[in-house]
């Protein structure tokens, strides 16, 4: 069996990659070892730049429709402090309350709609490559088989076998904290006090909010109006857990006992989850025909950023692989995946490592650091900057150009556009995930200069209020590859545009 691209793993990253490849005209073979979608609770929400990208694909409403609750106030934990954007009309970071199971269901529906089969129950056990192809050995429900492909992408999570088989190192740190999160019903024997604390007969009392002890940190969110409470523990442990092995009520109770010294009776669990933090980045995102994306490529020691980073890896990689499959990828295009996403990962690592330093210490010096940091975040400018950093919206890819425009490398702004056919927007132009040449100034000279790339490029002419540039060349991942400054003369703009088109879309 031969495929253009094999995607290993059908988590959020692999599913996003499969959908983006299909949009770009490539039908990948998706191999997933789990026979059915996982029900182990993981992420409780989706946030950051990926929401904007989903809107640019015309998909955001589907994800919003799958949300389990009202959109929360824009307030996010950051180490031991929090980023509070509630005062902003245009917060720099958004999130959806979308549990990972729901997210994967919506993504899977999208993939099916695009005509891609996911081979469930097919575990990749071996990967080799040579000059001609990459070969996988697979254990499937009907026995072992081999498949070959032009490219293979390991979206197979933190313990990536693809990464190991490709010989790509995964250096970094595993932190000893184990975090346990639970939503449980309380039995009638336990009283929820008006202040949100608990009276536990025969055991003692539980204080409301957070309690730090020598055993770790305990947190509770409870109100007398409900018998369902949220519980949270953090302990330093040396045991390594498998994320796919569900947590149990007994494990939660043992943890509470170690931290608080009492046995808390609990009833029916609504949610039980556990996670540890690691700070690791793959040495390379690419080894020959093999690529890594998502948790296989990076693990960040903070919550709320991993899925955003993984899905954005997929969006960055898909159109480049498709260009190669379609035969027009310029030399070096596939390597830009490593360069761009390694740099984006390093940025996420920067702030997630800083969060470790902010949350771990319990001494007066650590308290002072948290207090000072929180104080700095009262000012709008640093708060906005932190928001953009955590959301991943401040990523600016390096664009090879002698005189890059200020917009080059940034995520394209969603300009409102007026055309002869009516109004549209940059977001709408990117629904099909094609490269876009957007002429905002009636620049016949530049549209003509791009004529030789006709088949690979969607060319649009429009007007916008306060145009930021005369012409924008926008990649399928919504990043601006090149821009012509307002009134830039044709004798410099036309050759520069042709050079940018050759760099990103290959020889004419
Ligand atoms: C309790 C918990 C809470 C979390 N909360 C958040 C959060 O709030 N926000 C956030 O952004 N992230 C959160 N995360 C992290 C998030 O779950 C991961 O970042 C995300 O699942 C990574 O997606 P992925 O597709 O890269 O990898 P995975 O989701 O791990 O998917 C990998 C897939 O590959 C398959 N696979 C593995 N090996 C093979 C093989 N050899 N052959 C075939 N298939 C294979 C696996 O079965 C799996 O389906 C949380 C994680 C946990 C455990």
């Amino acid at each position: 069996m031969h495929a253009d691209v094999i995607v290993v793993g059908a988590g959020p990253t692999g599913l996003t990659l499969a959908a983006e490849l299909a949009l770009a005209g490539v039908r990948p073979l998706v191999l997933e070892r789990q026979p059915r979608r996982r029900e182990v609770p993981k992420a409780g929400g989706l946030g950051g730049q990926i929401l904007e990208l989903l809107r640019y694909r015309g998909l955001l409403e589907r994800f919003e429709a799958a949300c389990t609750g009202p959109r929360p106030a824009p307030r996010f934990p950051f180490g031991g402090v929090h980023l509070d954007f509630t005062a902003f009309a245009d917060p720099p970071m958004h999130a959806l309350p979308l549990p990972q199971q729901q997210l994967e269901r919506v993504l899977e529906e999208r993939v099916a709609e695009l005509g891609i089969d996911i081979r469930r129950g097919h575990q990749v056990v071996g990967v080799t490559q040579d000059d001609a192809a990459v070969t996988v050995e697979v254990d499937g429900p009907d026995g072992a088989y081999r498949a070959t492909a032009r490219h293979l992408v390991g979206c197979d999570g933190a313990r990536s076998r693809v990464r190991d088989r490709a010989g790509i190192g995964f250096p970094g740190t595993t932190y000893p904290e184990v975090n346990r999160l639970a939503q449980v019903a309380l039995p009638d024997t336990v009283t929820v006090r008006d202040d949100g604390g608990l009276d536990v007969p025969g055991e003692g009392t539980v204080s409301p909010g957070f309690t730090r002890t020598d055993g770790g940190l305990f947190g509770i969110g409870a109100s007398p109006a409900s018998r369902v409470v949220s519980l949270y523990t953090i302990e330093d442990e040396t045991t390594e857990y498998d994320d796919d092995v569900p947590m149990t009520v007994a494990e939660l109770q043992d943890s509470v006992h170690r931290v608080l010294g009492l046995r808390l009776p609990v009833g029916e669990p609504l949610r039980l989850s556990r996670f540890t933090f690691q700070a690791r980045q793959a040495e390379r995102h690419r080894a020959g025909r093999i690529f890594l994306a998502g948790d296989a490529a990076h693990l960040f020691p903070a919550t709320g950023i991993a899925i955003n980073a993984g899905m954005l890896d997929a969006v960055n990689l898909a159109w480049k692989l498709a260009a190669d499959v379609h035969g027009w990828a310029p030399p070096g295009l596939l390597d830009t995946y490593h360069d761009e996403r390694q740099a984006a990962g390093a940025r996420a690592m920067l702030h997630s490592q800083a969060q470790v330093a902010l949350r771990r210490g319990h001494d007066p010096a650590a308290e002072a650091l948290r207090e000072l940091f929180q104080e700095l975040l009262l000012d709008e400018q640093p708060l906005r900057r932190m928001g953009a950093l955590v959301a991943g919206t401040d990523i600016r890819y390096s664009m090879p150009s002698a005189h890059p425009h200020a917009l080059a490398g940034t995520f394209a702004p969603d300009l409102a556009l007026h055309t002869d056919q009516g109004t549209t927007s940059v977001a709408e132009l990117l629904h099909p995930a094609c490269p876009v040449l957007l002429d905002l100034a009636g620049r016949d000279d530049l549209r003509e200069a791009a004529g030789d790339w006709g088949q690979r490029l969607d060319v649009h002419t429009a007007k916008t209020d306060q145009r930021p540039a005369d012409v924008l060349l926008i990649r399928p991942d919504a990043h601006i590859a090149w821009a012509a400054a307002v009134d830039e003369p044709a004798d410099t703009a036309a050759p520069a545009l042709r050079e940018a088109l050759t760099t990103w879309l290959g020889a004419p």
Side-chain angles (χ1 to χ4, degrees):
M1 179 189 316
H2 185 81
D4 289 322
V5 178
I6 291 178
V7 176
V8 185
T13 307
L15 291 169
T16 305
L17 180 64
E20 287 282 311
L21 283 167
L23 273 186
V26 172
R27 274 173 147 258
L29 173 63
V30 184
L31 301 170
E32 165 57 54
R33 70 173 175 198
Q34 300 284 355
R36 60 195 68 83
R37 206 170 337 113
R38 298 166 295 186
E39 291 304 327
V40 177
K42 289 192 172 181
L46 178 66
Q49 180 72 359
I50 190 64
L51 294 183
E52 198 61 351
L53 195 283
L54 291 172
R55 193 170 72 76
Y56 278 38
R57 290 286 184 266
L59 297 171
L60 184 59
E61 282 172 8
R62 289 190 192 197
F63 289 85
E64 286 175 333
C67 284
T68 48
R71 221 161 155 149
R75 196 183 286 126
F76 302 94
F78 187 87
V81 302
H82 54 270
L83 307 176
D84 186 346
F85 306 118
T86 46
F88 297 154
D90 57 338
M93 162 112 190
H94 296 273
L96 294 179
L98 184 61
Q100 190 162 337
Q101 298 106 307
Q102 305 301 332
L103 169 69
E104 291 181 13
R105 178 181 58 74
V106 178
L107 286 169
E108 213 174 297
E109 283 167 10
R110 169 81 174 150
V111 163
E113 194 178 285
L114 292 165
I116 301 162
D117 283 338
I118 299 168
R119 294 192 165 200
R120 289 197 162 275
H122 292 243
Q123 179 168 17
V124 170
V125 292
V127 183
T128 51
Q129 61 174 324
D130 58 28
D131 289 347
V134 53
T135 304
V136 286
E137 287 162 41
V138 186
D139 269 352
D142 300 322
Y145 66 93
R146 281 178 177 207
T148 58
R150 190 180 176 93
H151 300 294
L152 175 135
V153 190
C155 305
D156 51 342
R159 293 184 170 83
S160 169
R161 189 174 293 223
V162 171
R163 188 183 61 226
D164 288 350
R165 293 291 189 271
I168 299 176
F170 200 40
T173 308
T174 299
Y175 290 98
E177 302 155 305
V178 178
N179 299 256
R180 292 186 176 84
L181 277 170
Q183 259 193 317
V184 290
L186 289 175
D188 292 342
T189 50
V190 177
T191 308
V192 182
R193 296 196 313 256
D194 287 347
D195 66 357
L198 305 180
D199 287 331
V200 188
E203 294 284 343
T205 59
V206 174
S207 304
F210 288 99
T211 308
R212 280 184 198 272
T213 71
D214 288 345
L217 180 79
F218 172 83
I220 179 166
S223 89
S226 167
R227 300 299 300 167
V228 174
V229 295
S230 298
L231 304 174
Y232 183 45
T233 63
I234 306 181
E235 300 174 83
D236 281 0
E237 291 174 36
T238 48
T239 326
E240 229 194 276
Y241 291 97
D242 184 346
D243 285 345
D244 288 330
V245 174
M247 181 173 135
T248 61
V249 168
E251 184 182 327
L252 170 73
Q253 287 175 308
D254 289 348
S255 177
V256 173
H257 185 247
R258 285 191 297 269
V259 177
L260 289 185
L262 60 78
R263 289 214 81 81
L264 182 65
V266 297
E268 194 63 29
L270 276 74
R271 177 190 165 106
L272 291 171
S273 62
R274 161 219 321 114
F275 53 92
T276 49
F277 283 125
Q278 298 189 51
R280 294 182 188 278
Q281 204 174 7
E283 282 167 352
R284 285 167 291 151
H285 278 49
R286 175 186 186 191
R289 298 179 175 278
I290 300 174
F291 297 78
L292 299 176
D295 275 15
H298 40 65
L299 295 172
F300 305 111
T303 57
I305 45 179
I307 296 184
N308 184 39
M311 289 174 72
L312 290 173
D313 285 348
V315 173
N316 185 290
L317 179 59
W319 69 274
K320 297 174 182 172
L321 289 176
D324 191 71
V325 169
H326 296 317
W328 55 256
L333 181 69
L334 290 175
D335 284 331
T336 65
Y337 170 64
H338 164 86
D339 299 341
E340 294 178 350
R341 295 312 295 166
Q342 184 89 12
R347 199 100 184 107
M349 198 60 82
L350 173 77
H351 75 75
S352 54
Q353 292 274 36
Q355 292 190 52
V356 176
L358 269 174
R359 77 170 171 253
R360 273 187 72 78
H362 301 318
D363 56 4
E367 298 292 354
L369 177 67
R370 285 190 281 270
E371 195 177 325
L372 183 61
F373 207 87
Q374 191 73 72
E375 195 176 308
L376 291 173
L377 293 173
L378 291 174
D379 292 341
E380 176 167 351
Q381 207 271 341
L383 185 54
R384 280 199 180 278
R385 191 179 183 124
M386 293 302 294
L389 177 61
V390 174
T393 50
D394 65 350
I395 298 297
R396 183 174 180 188
Y397 296 141
S398 151
M399 294 290 152
S401 163
H403 306 288
H405 189 279
L407 285 174
T410 62
F411 195 86
D414 189 16
L415 307 170
L417 304 173
H418 313 284
T419 70
D420 292 346
Q421 287 77 44
T423 55
T424 181
S425 65
V426 168
E428 226 167 78
L429 300 186
L430 282 161
H431 285 191
C434 277
V436 166
L437 187 80
L438 177 58
D439 175 3
L440 296 168
R443 294 289 301 255
D444 300 347
D445 55 332
L446 297 184
R447 286 203 316 283
E448 202 174 304
D452 292 340
W453 284 266
Q455 298 294 317
R456 298 173 213 161
L457 194 60
D458 279 351
V459 180
H460 298 274
T461 305
K463 288 200 166 53
T464 189
D465 305 334
Q466 297 182 332
R467 69 178 194 273
D470 272 5
V471 171
L472 296 173
L473 175 61
I474 310 173
R475 308 189 320 187
D477 60 4
H479 282 264
I480 296 176
W482 179 85
V486 172
D487 296 332
E488 187 173 339
D491 62 346
T492 57
L497 172 58
R498 290 180 68 85
E499 192 185 323
L501 285 164
T502 307
T503 301
W504 295 107
L505 305 188

